């Protein structure tokens, strides 16, 4: 190591801000270009280089440089870039796994919902005609009991009784689908 290099390292270690600024000005742009060769993103490379300089300043007292400050800076940028690349790979892998899991869950939900709708249709077919009509008006057209009663010329009490029967039939026919059925009715409300 040259005498001049030892002097620069000593001055940085002792906290000489002028020497540190000189090192920063001399190496900043070349280090950003070097970091960009790894990351292919100049903004990210600038962030990495800035972090390296901040770390160098914060840890200057513990520095034990046997080569040159240039070598330390380039090696630090290289390591930081490689760590960033590893982090991005892990994050992308996790995002891909999450997308795959979500897509599978969505398709599974769609199949279950289609099956549930089919079973509800079959349950409605087993209801007496007026009971089924009232159930459809309430659940699918989202009419209130009073509106159903007015349209069909019935009392509200009759509509309530018919809905009670309809719900009992649906519960019996779909007891295996109770959790999905609850979600279905919550969504239609």
């Amino acid at each position: 190591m040259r005498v001049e290099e030892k002097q620069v390292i000593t001055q940085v270690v002792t906290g000489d801000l002028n020497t540190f600024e000189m090192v920063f000005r001399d190496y900043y742009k070349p280090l950003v270009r070097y970091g960009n060769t790894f990351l292919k993103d100049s903004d990210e490379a600038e962030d990495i280089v800035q972090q390296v300089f901040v770390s160098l300043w914060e840890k200057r007292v513990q520095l034990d440089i046997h080569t040159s400050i240039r070598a330390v800076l380039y090696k630090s940028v290289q390591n930081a870039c490689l760590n960033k690349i590893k982090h991005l790979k892990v994050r992308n892998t996790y995002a891909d796994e999450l997308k795959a899991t979500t897509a599978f869950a969505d398709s599974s939900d769609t199949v279950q919902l289609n099956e549930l709708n089919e079973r509800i249709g079959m349950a409605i077919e087993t209801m007496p005609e007026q009971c089924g009509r009232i159930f459809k008006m309430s659940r699918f057209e989202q009419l209130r009991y009073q509106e159903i009663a007015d349209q069909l010329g019935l009392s509200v009490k009759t509509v309530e009784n018919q809905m009670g029967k309809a719900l009992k039939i649906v519960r019996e026919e779909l007891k295996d689908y109770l959790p999905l059925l609850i979600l279905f009715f919550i969504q239609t409300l």
Side-chain angles (χ1 to χ4, degrees):
M1 185 177 342
R2 296 185 343 237
V3 175
E4 183 181 303
E5 185 71 25
K6 283 183 180 180
Q7 185 180 2
V8 168
I9 292 169
T10 304
Q11 288 174 331
V12 168
V13 168
T14 58
D16 183 345
L17 196 53
N18 290 330
T19 303
F20 183 78
E21 286 177 7
M22 180 196 69
V23 170
F24 180 85
R25 278 192 308 274
D26 289 349
Y27 291 105
Y28 181 78
K29 286 181 182 178
L31 287 170
V32 169
R33 283 192 299 274
Y34 182 65
N36 196 32
T37 63
F38 291 100
L39 301 174
K40 310 295 186 237
D41 181 343
S42 58
D43 292 336
E44 194 65 46
E46 281 189 48
D47 288 345
I48 294 284
V49 171
Q50 288 171 6
Q51 290 170 3
V52 165
F53 275 106
V54 167
S55 179
L56 175 71
W57 182 254
E58 289 175 345
K59 297 176 182 176
R60 67 186 179 276
V61 177
Q62 295 100 10
L63 286 179
D64 187 22
I65 300 174
H66 298 289
T67 54
S68 69
I69 199 147
R70 179 184 187 280
V72 168
L73 288 171
Y74 273 86
K75 191 64 174 174
S76 296
V77 168
Q78 179 183 2
N79 290 339
C81 288
L82 293 176
N83 286 339
K84 182 69 173 182
I85 290 168
K86 272 191 228 173
H87 173 74
L88 290 173
K89 282 182 183 177
V90 168
R91 191 171 72 185
N92 290 340
T93 301
Y94 175 75
D96 291 344
E97 289 173 4
L98 185 62
K99 284 179 191 174
T101 303
T102 303
F104 176 74
D106 288 347
S107 66
S108 176
D109 289 348
T110 302
V111 168
Q112 288 179 335
L113 190 57
N114 288 340
E115 190 175 328
L116 178 62
N117 284 330
E118 194 175 302
R119 292 293 299 260
I120 289 171
M122 291 169 44
I124 292 171
E125 288 178 20
T126 66
M127 296 177 189
E129 185 180 337
Q130 186 176 19
C131 186
R133 186 180 315 129
I134 291 171
F135 180 81
K136 288 177 189 176
M137 292 173 82
S138 173
R139 294 299 179 220
F140 301 128
E141 296 175 30
Q142 299 180 351
L143 297 176
R144 285 187 244 116
Y145 289 175
Q146 182 64 55
E147 293 171 321
I148 296 169
D150 291 344
Q151 283 188 22
L152 298 178
L154 302 170
S155 70
V156 175
K157 191 71 173 164
T158 301
V159 172
E160 288 174 3
N161 288 337
Q162 291 297 313
M163 276 301 294
K165 285 181 188 178
L167 291 173
K168 184 176 180 184
I169 291 168
V170 169
R171 263 194 312 272
E172 185 60 36
E173 290 288 323
L174 301 173
K175 62 184 170 204
D176 296 336
Y177 294 88
L178 189 58
L180 286 174
L181 187 62
I182 291 168
L183 289 173
F184 173 78
F185 283 117
I186 288 172
Q187 290 175 351
T188 60
L189 292 178

